[in-house]
Amino acid sequence: MKILTFVDLHSNISALKKIIRKSKQADLLLCAGDISLFEKQLDKIFELLTQAKKPVLIIHGNHEEPTTLTKLCKRYKNIVFIHKKIKSFDKAVFIGFGGEGFSLTSKDFEHFIKKKKRELNELKKKNRKLVLITHAPPFGYLDRVDSHHAGNKSFRDFILRFKPLLHICGHFHEHARKTATLGKTKIINPGPEGKIIQIA
């Protein structure tokens, strides 16, 4: 399975059209937030996303409200808002959590994971390939701003505990198109240009 991941598009229609063309090579599209610039042109963005004719999983960043994306996704069969949800697709399981761009920890995320603990442990036992999607990166990885780290410690702790195959994130534009590794987890900031990842 090939997934096309992208983040921090910020209403760049030209970049989105390139994503749509690139989507021909993928089975699934995945947006890790900030698809808009403070929700500008969201209707046009979603209309373009449907042209990919592929499933799209999306979370909000710090430029969108979750209520806005919830309403928009209900209009389109192929676009799924996965904030605080776990979705299976082929051989992978996607765990979505949006927002929290400037938080060093997230009690809300920790509560969500606590509620899903049994389900996640079952998935681990079945050797399912977990993919975590958040807007911000984990603390210490793809998160250096000036001289300090600004990622999220709750995301880092989840990775250390559940060992997902991938963590797709963004938020800090200076780390676009970069990758890092935490234990067995590959952390990817695909940037607005998008990156195709194969999951065997």
Side-chain angles (χ1 to χ4, degrees):
M1 178 179 68
K2 291 182 179 179
I3 59 173
L4 172 56
T5 66
F6 61 101
V7 68
D8 297 319
L9 203 67
H10 291 298
S11 297
N12 185 329
I13 299 300
S14 176
L16 179 57
K17 287 179 178 178
K18 290 178 183 177
I19 290 288
I20 301 304
R21 290 195 291 272
K22 194 180 288 189
S23 70
K24 293 176 183 177
Q25 307 168 49
D27 302 300
L28 173 75
L29 279 70
L30 193 160
C31 177
D34 279 2
I35 198 168
S36 71
L37 184 65
F38 298 112
E39 301 191 352
K40 290 179 181 176
Q41 295 184 291
L42 266 177
D43 287 320
K44 183 174 183 179
I45 287 166
F46 271 63
E47 286 292 337
L48 284 168
L49 275 179
T50 62
Q51 293 179 14
K53 296 181 180 177
K54 301 285 176 71
V56 180
L57 305 181
I58 187 170
I59 58 171
H60 62 290
N62 49 288
H63 278 248
E64 301 92 23
E65 290 295 326
T67 50
T68 304
L69 292 193
T70 297
K71 290 176 184 176
L72 267 173
C73 287
K74 286 179 180 177
R75 297 184 201 167
Y76 303 94
K77 290 182 180 179
N78 69 312
I79 307 176
V80 180
F81 186 52
I82 58 161
H83 174 54
K84 294 186 181 180
K85 293 178 184 173
I86 296 175
K87 293 286 183 184
S88 294
F89 189 91
D90 197 12
K91 298 176 181 178
V93 176
F94 298 91
I95 305 151
F97 192 88
E100 302 286 1
F102 299 98
S103 303
L104 289 176
T105 60
S106 172
K107 293 297 180 186
D108 198 19
F109 175 76
E110 291 169 12
H111 180 66
F112 162 62
I113 295 304
K114 188 176 181 180
K115 283 174 62 178
K116 299 291 185 179
K117 179 182 174 183
R118 182 178 293 178
E119 182 179 352
L120 289 166
N121 283 329
E122 285 297 316
L123 290 167
K124 276 186 68 180
K125 287 178 185 176
K126 293 176 182 176
N127 293 317
R128 297 299 300 275
K129 299 178 188 301
L130 303 184
V131 179
L132 175 66
I133 307 115
T134 65
H135 184 56
F139 186 85
Y141 300 83
L142 306 184
D143 71 331
R144 185 176 285 277
V145 179
D146 297 325
S147 61
H148 67 281
H149 292 287
N152 194 293
K153 294 178 181 178
S154 302
F155 301 161
R156 179 198 62 191
D157 293 347
F158 172 88
I159 291 171
L160 291 171
R161 181 176 181 183
F162 289 96
K163 301 175 176 59
L165 176 70
L166 296 170
H167 180 194
I168 308 300
C169 56
H171 186 52
F172 298 113
H173 298 186
E174 51 268 72
H175 295 286
R177 299 178 301 281
K178 293 181 182 178
T179 62
T181 303
L182 173 53
K184 295 182 178 180
T185 302
K186 189 170 185 179
I187 304 161
I188 301 171
N189 178 335
E193 294 86 358
K195 181 180 179 66
I196 290 180
I197 303 162
Q198 179 138 11
I199 298 178

